[in-house]
């Protein structure tokens, strides 16, 4: 059985090509000058430069977090290029986009251009550090939705960006968030005005292309009173045998009765089977349920990155607000993942649900780390958490670190965790019904992850199921 | 003779103040013990008092401890037999009483024990049973990183050695009673329990106080459970509500060994109970029960680590807390399944009941699993008394307060009733009732 499963897990990384586009990079290294350079290149207003410098100065006083259950050589922050833009600079229309780039996205299967129309998805594409193109901008503008790169938003809607940026993840929040605040180059911005239900799924595709460059994107989504939006994010990177840093910050703000659904399929390059290369994915994602009855839902399928360090969180400030976290994290070979969520209950009758499924194979290490905090004023708060792990093979690890802090007696908090493997008897049953082992394994894993996949938009769910199958090819057995 | 002071002074001023009294520890007849004490002193000197920035002490702030000074006493306070009558365990085969950390022969009761069972003062046993003690004493607890374990070893002098020879069995419990009477006293009791193949014993470690003084108990117990042997280890912490109690226990389990731990925490202003169970042989079984019932401004912290290093191990753990007043309960339970520990079956439950607005609970059940063919589960709940249960009892004519008491009591009774010592269960049930009535 082990060879079948082994073959099933060890699929080559199919997004590992480098697109040969001339790109313009900043010299390696980080200093106030680099930050001024980035800011000047992007023609940013003075307040944003101040925001960056403040973050940078704070970052200098901080030390890298040591508590995650991951191990890697110390990162040399001076060996990273903090700005890499595809060259020549792009024109406004899609037809003028570098055909090489478009081919890249075609290979990735990003639904863009006509394909976007078919899929009905509006896409913002971030290549290394710069937003390349945004589809469907006009159509969205008709209903008042602003969707595009954050650089454009800084230029066109500075008052909105200034009001909300840093309001959920302050500049000094943590080491990598501070770094991001100092050097972020682009990202997506989305504003859904009062009472508007976004007519289509919004999507961003991130790709790191240049060796030695880091990607520091910043995403800001604001849903005003009664607004509703579903946002998807996908990530890939080429194969390099050096490690690249990805330190993003995502901020979500939901006002009264607003509803934000944020889905991620993360498939950054994970390094080879010996753990050489791959992306360090150190990401800060946080949503603020600011208004009454607001809702933020995170769904993530994490299959890539050499190291993942990511805790999409919800701050449930408004009364009756709801936070959700659905996650599938798969690690193989020598990948390390320390991921989970934080649910901070502040308002009355706030509810949160955490469903986390971890699958470890090869020699990987997969940790769930989550915090459920019920503040003293959170009357009637309710949380349910379920963290299941599946181990494939004898050399991997699965860990669960839930933190539960309760300061209100009317709260009800439940946490459950289990660990299991693909049972011989389960496989035997499938085989007795004429289903080959490989297919059986894939079905069992899909069943294991069903609770999470159900939360994904349809196309993403299909993609995620496929991705999991690919990733696991060769490892189960 | 006096143990030589460490070559460099303690890095941390408070640690230095605690260690001031260690120069009075008498030289032991065994050179190896002196060496271990000196090494522990050296370690303690290098360590600082943990703060909430240390992951292991994240929820437990030791600042109140560091504001007070504690020294070992040279002479024990006066305690009469009547003073401790309430703590008598009638089933006990033997009772050793320590007052302010010092053995009290007049209060102790030492009858004839079955062949193969030894219960002796540690300082006496070092001479008579040195060969049995040397391989284990100060070898099981982690002296390297743990300040309090190092401190205890640096002060290692008074304590108990219990040994069960091959196939020896003592059904009746061995009762160790530690009484503190003096304000500002620091007691460093030490127990070593060693068993041989197929033996069976029950040990009760009981920490009590006369009066409501502030003092420090820093206890360490090491337990060696031999193949096929069974040790039932009951720890009762009923210190004064101004006291500080830091207890560290390490147990190692050989093939098919059984270790059954019951920890009951009622007392202390700030208490910390560390239990590490390492399963060194195949098929060992551990049962870890815990109950903490606190109120006022008490803090009770329980840390357990179940380390499965061999295949076929089983462990059932359930920890409950009942928190009233402005109490604060902390639970951190880690289940570690090492590579190769296949077919491990380990479960852990953390159940917490909050009785008041200001009470709070921090719980952190952890699983770290490195073997694929295992069954591991943990669960944690925090909540208040079920409104429907209360309604049912009220509909049967019980007043609100009584209904609450009954439900609270029932919540805790599940753990207490599993202790197979009837007189002790009766004592504990009484104090649970008294405490729940006080906290409503």
């Amino acid at each position: 059985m082990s060879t079948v499963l082994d073959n099933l897990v060890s699929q080559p990384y199919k997004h590992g090509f480098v697109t040969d586009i001339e790109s313009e990079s900043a010299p390696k290294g980080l200093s106030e000058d680099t930050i001024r350079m980035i800011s000047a290149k992007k023609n940013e207003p003075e307040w944003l430069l101040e925001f960056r410098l403040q973050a940078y100065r704070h970052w200098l006083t901080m030390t890298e977090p040591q508590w995650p259950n991951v191990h890697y050589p110390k990162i040399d922050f001076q060996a990273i290029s903090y700005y890499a833009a595809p060259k020549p600079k792009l024109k406004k229309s899609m037809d003028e986009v570098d055909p090489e780039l478009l081919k890249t996205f075609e290979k990735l299967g990003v639904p863009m251009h006509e394909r976007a129309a078919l899929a009905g998805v509006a896409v913002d594409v971030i290549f290394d550090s710069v937003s390349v193109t945004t589809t469907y901008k006009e159509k969205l503008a008709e209903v008042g939705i602003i969707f595009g790169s954050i650089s454009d938003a800084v230029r066109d809607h500075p008052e909105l960006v200034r009001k909300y940026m840093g309001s959920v993840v302050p500049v000094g929040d943590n080491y990598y968030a501070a770094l991001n605040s100092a050097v972020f180059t682009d990202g997506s911005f989305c504003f859904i005005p009062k009472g508007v239900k976004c007519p289509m799924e919004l999507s961003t595709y991130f790709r790191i292309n240049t060796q030695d460059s880091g990607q520091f994107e910043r995403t800001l989504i604001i849903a005003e009173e009664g607004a509703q939006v579903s946002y998807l994010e996908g990530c890939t990177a080429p194969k390099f045998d050096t490690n690249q840093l990805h330190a993003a910050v995502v901020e979500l703000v939901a006002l009264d009765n607003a509803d934000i659904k944020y889905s991620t399929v993360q498939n950054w390059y994970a390094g080879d089977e010996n753990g050489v290369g791959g992306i360090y994915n150190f990401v800060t994602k946080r949503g603020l349920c600011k208004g009454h009855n607001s809702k933020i839902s995170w769904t993530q399928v994490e299959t890539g990155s050499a190291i993942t360090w990511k805790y999409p969180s919800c701050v449930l400030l408004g009364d009756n607000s709801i936070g959700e976290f659905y996650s599938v994290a798969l690690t193989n070979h020598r990948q390390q993942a320390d991921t989970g969520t934080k649910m901070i209950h502040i308002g009355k009758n706030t509810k949160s649900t955490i469903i986390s499924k971890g699958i470890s194979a090869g020699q990987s290490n997969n940790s769930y780390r989550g915090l459920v905090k019920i503040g003293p004023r959170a009357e009637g708060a309710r949380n349910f958490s379920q963290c299941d792990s599946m181990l494939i093979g004898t050399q991997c690890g699965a860990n669960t670190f839930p933190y539960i802090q309760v300061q209100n007696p009317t709260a009800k908090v439940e946490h459950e965790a289990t660990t299991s493997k693909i049972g011989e008897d389960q496989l035997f049953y499938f085989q007795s019904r004429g289903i080959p082992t490989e297919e059986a394994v894939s079905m069992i894993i899909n069943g294991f992850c069903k609770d999470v996949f159900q939360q994904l938009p349809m196309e993403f769910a299909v993609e995620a199921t496929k991705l999991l199958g690919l990733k696991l090819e060769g490892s189960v057995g | 003779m006096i143990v030589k002071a460490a070559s460099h002074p303690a890095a941390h001023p408070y640690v230095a103040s605690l260690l001031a009294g260690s120069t009075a520890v008498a030289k032991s007849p065994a050179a190896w013990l002196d060496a271990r004490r000196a090494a522990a002193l050296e370690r303690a000197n290098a360590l600082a008092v943990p703060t909430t920035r240390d992951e292991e002490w994240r929820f437990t702030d030791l600042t109140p401890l560091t504001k007070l000074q504690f020294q070992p006493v040279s002479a024990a306070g006066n305690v009469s037999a009547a003073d401790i009558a309430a703590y008598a365990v009638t089933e006990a085969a033997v009772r050793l009483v320590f007052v302010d950390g010092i053995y009290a022969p007049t209060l102790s009761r030492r009858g004839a024990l079955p062949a193969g069972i030894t219960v002796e003062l540690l300082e006496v046993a070092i001479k008579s049973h040195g060969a049995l003690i040397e391989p284990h004493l100060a070898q099981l607890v982690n002296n390297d990183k743990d300040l309090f374990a190092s401190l205890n070893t640096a002060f290692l002098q008074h304590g108990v050695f219990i040994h069960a020879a091959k196939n020896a069995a003592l059904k009746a419990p061995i009762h160790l009673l530690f009484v503190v009477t003096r304000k500002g006293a620091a007691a460093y009791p030490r127990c070593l329990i060693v068993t041989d193949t197929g033996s069976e014993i029950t040990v009760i470690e009981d920490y009590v106080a006369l009066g409501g003084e502030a003092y420090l108990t820093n206890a360490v117990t090491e337990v060696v459970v031999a193949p096929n042997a069974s040790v039932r280890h009951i720890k009762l912490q009923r210190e004064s509500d101004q006291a500080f109690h830091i207890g560290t226990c390490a147990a190692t389990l050989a093939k098919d060994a059984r270790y059954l731990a019951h920890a009951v925490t009622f007392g202390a202003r700030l208490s910390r109970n560390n239990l590490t169970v390492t399963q060194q042989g195949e098929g060992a079984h551990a049962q870890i029960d815990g109950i903490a019932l606190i109120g006022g401004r008490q803090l009770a912290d329980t840390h357990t680590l179940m380390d499965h290093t061999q295949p076929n191990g089983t462990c059932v753990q359930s920890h409950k807390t009942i928190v009233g007043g402005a109490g604060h309960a902390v639970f951190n339970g880690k289940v570690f399944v090492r590579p190769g520990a296949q077919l491990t079956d380990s479960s852990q439950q953390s159940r917490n009941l909050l009785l008041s607005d200001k009470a709070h609970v921090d719980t952190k059940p952890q699983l770290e699993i490195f073997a694929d063919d295992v069954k591991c589960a943990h669960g944690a709940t925090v909540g208040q008394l079920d409104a429907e249960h209360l309604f049912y009892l009220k509909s049967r004519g019980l007043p609100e307060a009584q209904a609450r008491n009954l439900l609270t009591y029932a919540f805790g009774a599940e753990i207490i009733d599993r202790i197979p010592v009837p007189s002790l269960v009766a004592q504990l049930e009484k104090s649970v009732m008294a405490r729940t009535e006080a906290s409503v």
Side-chain angles (χ1 to χ4, degrees):
Chain A
M1 177 171 114
S2 88
T3 48
V4 184
L5 289 184
D6 271 337
N7 297 334
L8 200 79
V9 180
S10 320
Q11 262 275 312
Y13 186 66
K14 71 167 183 167
H15 303 306
F17 51 86
V18 185
T19 313
D20 200 8
I21 315 180
E22 222 187 316
S23 80
E24 185 189 11
S25 292
K28 286 179 190 177
L30 180 57
S31 65
E32 289 205 8
D33 289 342
T34 324
I35 291 162
R36 285 178 204 280
M37 190 278 283
I38 295 172
S39 194
K41 270 219 187 295
K42 301 174 75 70
N43 290 320
E44 286 176 356
E46 191 60 29
W47 64 265
L48 192 53
L49 177 63
E50 267 315 305
F51 177 89
R52 288 173 181 277
L53 291 174
Q54 195 199 339
Y56 175 69
R57 285 168 198 149
H58 194 90
W59 179 75
L60 288 176
T61 66
M62 301 171 93
T63 50
E64 280 171 76
Q66 298 297 322
W67 49 262
N69 190 20
V70 295
H71 307 279
Y72 55 92
K74 211 169 158 47
I75 298 171
D76 181 359
F77 289 94
Q78 297 304 335
I80 296 171
S81 169
Y82 288 86
Y83 185 79
K87 206 167 109 178
K89 193 78 176 129
L90 296 156
K91 312 286 185 309
K92 286 274 159 220
S93 141
M94 282 279 277
D95 303 330
E96 288 170 69
V97 171
D98 191 324
E100 278 292 319
L101 250 184
L102 286 180
K103 260 190 236 158
T104 305
F105 290 116
E106 227 154 276
K107 276 194 221 169
L108 291 172
V110 181
M112 208 167 46
H113 214 32
E114 286 90 9
R115 306 166 65 172
L118 284 172
V121 173
V123 186
D124 182 27
V125 181
I126 316 274
F127 209 87
D128 280 330
S129 304
V130 170
S131 175
V132 179
T133 175
T134 307
T135 57
Y136 274 111
K137 215 170 176 167
E138 289 79 19
K139 209 165 166 195
L140 290 169
E142 279 170 28
V143 285
I145 294 172
I146 305 164
F147 178 51
S149 73
I150 204 141
S151 313
D152 289 351
V154 168
R155 193 184 60 225
D156 302 334
H157 309 279
E159 71 298 339
L160 281 175
V161 179
R162 195 171 180 178
K163 181 171 173 193
Y164 288 107
M165 191 155 71
S167 70
V168 185
V169 180
V171 290
D173 187 76
N174 67 65
Y175 190 78
Y176 295 106
L179 179 64
N180 174 288
S181 302
V183 302
F184 75 89
T185 35
D186 218 328
S188 296
F189 175 83
C190 177
F191 175 82
I192 322 289
K194 211 168 173 170
V196 172
K197 293 196 179 7
C198 187
M200 61 185 83
E201 309 269 357
L202 302 182
S203 171
T204 301
Y205 226 91
F206 296 104
R207 183 170 168 82
I208 299 179
N209 199 50
T210 321
Q211 191 158 12
D212 297 331
S213 78
Q215 178 151 315
F216 303 94
E217 89 265 358
R218 183 130 195 150
T219 300
L220 178 56
I221 300 177
I222 302 142
E224 280 201 332
E225 289 84 349
Q228 215 179 68
V229 62
S230 168
Y231 182 93
L232 322 170
E233 160 194 272
C235 329
T236 58
K239 280 179 173 178
F240 288 119
D241 53 10
T242 50
N243 295 104
Q244 288 163 289
L245 178 63
H246 174 248
V249 170
V250 175
E251 294 175 284
L252 313 181
V253 182
L255 302 183
D256 289 355
N257 304 309
D259 182 344
I260 303 177
K261 186 177 170 68
Y262 194 105
S263 315
T264 308
V265 174
Q266 185 262 105
N267 188 24
W268 294 117
Y269 179 52
D272 65 10
E273 62 266 30
N274 298 315
V276 176
I279 303 281
Y280 291 165
N281 191 30
F282 300 153
V283 176
T284 306
K285 291 187 168 177
R286 195 174 302 154
L288 175 62
C289 285
K290 204 171 179 181
H292 298 325
N293 309 320
S294 55
K295 178 179 171 187
I296 289 179
S297 174
W298 297 98
T299 306
Q300 60 170 20
V301 178
E302 300 280 318
T303 62
S305 298
I307 300 176
T308 302
W309 179 93
K310 177 179 171 188
Y311 313 92
S313 310
C314 297
V315 180
L316 305 171
L317 184 64
D319 291 349
N320 309 318
S321 58
I322 298 173
E324 291 176 341
F325 176 74
Y326 298 95
S327 166
V328 168
L330 175 121
T331 55
N332 195 6
H333 302 312
R334 288 176 188 270
Q335 276 177 274
Q336 306 173 58
D338 193 308
T339 182
T341 185
K342 287 192 226 173
M343 293 291 171
I344 317 283
H345 293 254
I346 299 171
K348 291 188 177 65
N349 299 318
T350 46
K351 287 196 185 77
S352 63
T353 306
I354 300 171
I355 308 284
S356 166
K357 307 278 180 178
I359 303 168
S360 356
Q363 287 161 282
S364 66
N365 209 335
N366 200 332
S367 307
Y368 167 81
R369 187 185 300 275
L371 167 71
V372 175
K373 186 170 183 168
I374 313 282
R377 293 194 302 109
E379 294 284 321
R382 181 87 177 83
N383 162 270
F384 175 77
S385 309
Q386 187 181 343
C387 309
D388 297 329
S389 316
M390 183 182 273
L391 291 129
I392 299 172
T394 53
Q395 287 174 294
C396 49
N399 311 312
T400 319
F401 306 99
Y403 293 69
I404 301 164
Q405 296 171 245
V406 182
Q407 301 187 347
N408 188 304
T410 59
K412 205 166 169 192
V413 178
E414 287 172 275
H415 172 94
E416 278 174 31
T418 61
T419 299
S420 57
K421 67 168 212 160
I422 297 179
E424 296 281 341
D425 46 346
Q426 289 172 330
L427 285 178
F428 179 78
Y429 178 82
F430 275 100
Q431 282 170 330
S432 74
R433 302 275 151 161
I435 296 165
T437 313
E438 207 157 304
E439 231 171 276
V441 167
S442 154
M443 284 165 87
I444 292 170
I445 289 175
N446 275 311
F448 179 70
C449 301
K450 200 180 76 186
D451 293 345
V452 175
F453 287 168
Q454 275 172 346
Q455 300 297 325
L456 286 170
M458 223 268 283
E459 314 87 65
F460 259 40
V462 174
E463 193 187 329
T465 311
K466 265 200 240 154
L467 195 60
L468 228 57
L470 284 179
K471 277 275 167 181
L472 275 177
E473 222 155 278
S475 84
V476 192
Chain B
M1 188 49 206
I2 276 163
V3 174
K4 233 168 67 184
S7 49
H8 51 82
H12 195 284
Y14 186 70
V15 176
S17 80
L18 285 178
L19 281 170
S22 70
T23 47
V25 175
K27 190 177 158 64
S28 145
W32 59 263
L33 180 56
D34 283 336
R36 281 177 202 174
R37 281 202 290 232
L41 182 62
E42 196 84 6
R43 281 307 306 156
N45 270 326
L47 293 166
V49 175
T51 67
T52 50
R53 299 183 67 86
D54 295 290
E55 184 66 26
E56 288 296 299
W57 293 85
R58 204 182 145 99
F59 304 113
T60 302
D61 187 0
L62 287 171
T63 313
L65 170 72
T66 58
K67 289 199 174 130
L68 300 168
Q69 294 294 319
F70 300 103
Q71 288 302 328
V73 298
S74 47
N78 277 325
V79 174
S80 70
D83 289 338
I84 55 167
Y87 302 113
V89 176
T90 48
E91 295 88 341
V94 49
R95 178 172 79 182
L96 298 189
V97 180
F98 291 76
V99 176
D100 298 328
I102 298 167
Y103 178 57
T106 52
L107 300 172
S108 302
R109 194 160 52 75
R110 304 177 69 171
L113 291 170
I117 304 284
T118 309
V119 179
E120 191 49 271
L121 297 181
L122 200 51
E123 54 264 51
V124 177
I126 297 276
K127 287 177 238 163
S128 56
H129 296 79
L132 285 172
I133 297 174
E134 190 181 348
H136 308 297
L137 188 65
Q139 303 297 297
L140 267 55
V141 289
N142 178 0
N143 288 308
D144 278 359
K145 286 190 188 139
D146 188 333
L147 171 69
F148 294 99
S150 302
L151 282 170
N152 182 291
T153 306
F155 282 97
L156 201 163
Q157 190 171 16
H158 302 298
V160 180
F161 170 67
I162 296 171
H163 184 255
K166 195 170 174 181
N167 296 327
L170 176 60
K171 291 271 185 234
I174 297 160
H175 188 199
L176 311 176
L177 185 64
F178 301 91
V179 190
V180 180
T181 62
R182 297 211 166 163
K183 190 178 174 185
Y188 294 97
R190 183 77 171 216
C191 300
L192 176 65
I193 302 168
V194 180
T195 55
D196 205 340
T197 314
S199 56
E200 191 181 341
I201 48 169
T202 299
V203 178
I204 303 169
E205 261 184 72
D206 197 353
Y207 297 88
V208 303
L210 301 180
E213 305 290 6
Y215 56 85
L216 168 68
T217 300
N218 177 3
V220 172
T221 301
E222 290 166 299
V223 186
V224 180
V225 193
N228 230 1
S230 170
V231 172
R232 190 180 290 276
H233 185 189
I234 302 159
K235 182 181 169 179
L236 312 171
Q237 192 268 91
R238 318 187 245 186
E239 306 267 25
S240 92
D241 58 5
Q242 290 302 310
F244 295 86
H245 179 100
I246 314 257
T248 307
C249 176
T252 165
L253 277 54
K255 190 171 185 298
D256 299 321
R258 285 163 60 78
Y259 177 68
L260 314 163
H262 307 260
V264 179
T265 302
F266 288 163
R269 171 179 177 190
L270 187 157
S271 69
R272 165 74 167 235
N273 198 12
N274 292 315
L275 173 64
T276 304
V277 180
T278 312
Q279 178 219 347
Q280 302 275 28
E282 271 194 50
H285 173 73
Q287 178 194 314
I288 305 172
D289 279 354
I291 171 110
L293 170 62
I294 53 169
R297 303 193 59 81
Q298 287 182 288
L299 186 156
D301 180 347
T302 300
H303 270 57
T304 63
L305 167 61
M306 180 66 222
D307 193 352
H308 293 275
T309 71
Q310 299 294 325
N312 294 308
T314 54
C315 175
V316 183
Q317 182 175 6
S318 57
H319 187 80
K320 290 193 169 187
T321 69
I322 303 170
V323 193
H328 179 190
V330 179
F331 175 69
N332 188 321
K334 191 194 251 183
V335 174
F336 203 70
V337 181
R338 300 210 181 237
Q342 299 291 14
L343 299 169
T344 292
D345 186 345
S346 199
S347 74
Q348 183 187 65
Q349 294 294 331
S350 161
R351 303 245 175 272
N352 305 280
L353 183 59
L354 293 177
L355 296 176
S356 71
D357 289 350
K358 292 213 173 82
H360 82 275
V361 165
D362 292 304
T363 175
K364 195 175 143 213
Q366 300 178 43
L367 291 175
E368 288 193 52
I369 296 164
F370 296 94
D372 65 337
D373 196 1
V374 301
K375 244 168 88 182
C376 285
H378 69 196
T381 56
V382 183
Q384 56 184 348
L385 293 173
D386 193 311
E388 277 187 33
H389 296 173
L390 269 177
F391 178 76
Y392 176 79
L393 290 178
K394 287 200 280 191
S395 76
R396 300 277 147 163
L398 261 66
E400 165 102 17
Q402 205 180 338
R404 283 184 168 275
N405 275 343
L406 195 60
L407 288 172
T408 310
Y409 168 75
F411 180 84
E414 190 197 332
I415 301 285
I416 289 172
D417 288 348
R418 282 209 286 258
I419 299 175
V421 184
S423 73
L424 200 55
V425 172
Q427 271 182 41
L428 295 174
E429 285 186 341
K430 228 161 87 188
S431 44
V432 170
M433 256 327 193
R435 277 182 168 252
T436 47
E437 269 158 25
S439 66
V440 175

